[in-house]
Amino acid sequence: AQSVAQPEDQVNVAEGNPLTVKCTYSVSGNPYLFWYVQYPNRGLQFLLKYITGDNLVKGSYGFEAEFNKSQTSFHLKKPSALVSDSALYFCAVRDGGTGGFKTIFGAGTRLFVKA
Amino acid sequence: NAGVMQNPRHLVRRRGQEARLRCSPMKGHSHVYWYRQLPEEGLKFMVYLQKENIIDESGMPKERFSAEFPKEGPSILRIQQVVRGDSAAYFCASSPTSGGYSDTQYFGPGTRLTVL
């Protein structure tokens, strides 16, 4: 069965510093990986996804993520954090093998960027 | 191009009543997903529908919950005889017609259900 883990409940970063939000996954087939961001009382907004090809995926708002097959990870990164990046971030996975169209979301990581 | 629409945004019901949540997908999208989010938790998949078809309902509770996506009109998530444990935010997402594994899902703003 597919699963996704976000090992950190919270990440604290100073504005201007690089940020990393971690995600690891488990699937039986090919992984389709997604990152979403959620602001208070709002729905999820799509940031980026990995389907195939280049392991470094660039997305919205300056975010990028690196797919690492050997470590089954898909960490979200940004070179220089902004206070406005403070939000709840979700990693999600679809299993291209046996998972059907179900998308499994991680528990979320809350990012705090301090000015 | 309007995004995914959900209504109502907030819904209050007493125990035993019925809750109906509506979702209108983005224009050109014919695939709808429903998720439930409990406070301080991630989203839990409930059901995936195409027009007039339920494709995957493996996340739906066996009783009291049902979903439909008719040929015309919005998708409806129906919860009968609500209990306090049903209190949560319910999110709808839609994806384009191709319906592939790599399709991005676009989320609505959610309906926050409170059961008194």
Side-chain angles (χ1 to χ4, degrees):
Chain A
Q2 73 229 64
S3 66
V4 60
Q6 293 181 243
E8 302 155 315
D9 291 335
Q10 182 172 312
V11 171
N12 297 310
V13 177
E15 187 174 34
N17 284 0
L19 69 87
T20 299
V21 182
K22 296 179 180 177
C23 172
T24 58
Y25 66 91
S26 175
V27 296
S28 58
N30 292 323
Y32 297 86
L33 296 152
F34 304 81
W35 275 102
Y36 288 85
V37 60
Q38 186 180 32
Y39 296 98
N41 298 315
R42 303 282 297 277
L44 276 67
Q45 295 179 31
F46 170 74
L47 283 178
L48 50 80
K49 64 183 177 183
Y50 171 80
I51 307 304
T52 187
D54 194 348
N55 289 343
L56 186 63
V57 179
K58 293 189 181 297
S60 306
Y61 313 119
F63 284 93
E64 58 189 29
E66 186 167 12
F67 171 67
N68 188 317
K69 187 174 183 178
S70 62
Q71 297 184 4
T72 61
S73 66
F74 189 55
H75 301 331
L76 181 71
K77 300 181 180 183
K78 187 172 182 180
S80 179
L82 300 172
V83 172
S84 58
D85 292 330
S86 299
L88 189 56
Y89 290 80
F90 291 100
C91 180
V93 65
R94 262 182 171 173
D95 187 342
T98 61
F101 290 94
K102 180 187 296 187
T103 303
I104 301 300
F105 283 80
T109 297
R110 193 167 295 280
L111 174 66
F112 287 101
V113 182
K114 187 175 181 181
Chain B
N1 185 14
V4 178
M5 309 285 283
Q6 288 188 252
N7 68 81
R9 293 293 307 275
H10 300 274
L11 182 61
V12 179
R13 286 288 178 265
R14 296 190 181 280
R15 283 179 295 169
Q17 291 184 320
E18 179 180 285
R20 282 190 177 230
L21 288 63
R22 296 174 189 78
C23 170
S24 297
M26 287 180 69
K27 187 177 180 180
H29 288 191
S30 59
H31 300 251
V32 166
Y33 307 78
W34 284 95
Y35 295 87
R36 176 165 60 179
Q37 184 180 35
L38 296 172
E40 302 303 318
E41 291 189 14
L43 276 71
K44 303 297 184 186
F45 168 82
M46 298 181 76
V47 62
Y48 163 48
L49 310 102
Q50 296 178 15
K51 287 278 188 182
E52 300 183 280
N53 282 308
I54 297 175
I55 307 302
D56 183 347
E57 58 181 348
S58 57
M60 287 279 272
K62 292 290 186 284
E63 297 178 349
R64 303 189 296 109
F65 285 73
S66 62
E68 63 177 10
F69 189 16
K71 186 177 181 180
E72 300 291 337
S75 175
I76 306 288
L77 178 68
R78 182 183 178 202
I79 312 172
Q80 295 178 290
Q81 299 175 327
V82 297
V83 301
R84 288 213 173 110
D86 297 332
S87 296
Y90 291 83
F91 289 96
C92 167
S94 71
S95 66
T97 306
S98 58
Y101 292 119
S102 62
D103 282 348
T104 298
Q105 294 174 44
Y106 295 89
F107 283 80
T111 294
R112 279 156 184 80
L113 173 66
T114 301
V115 179
L116 301 178

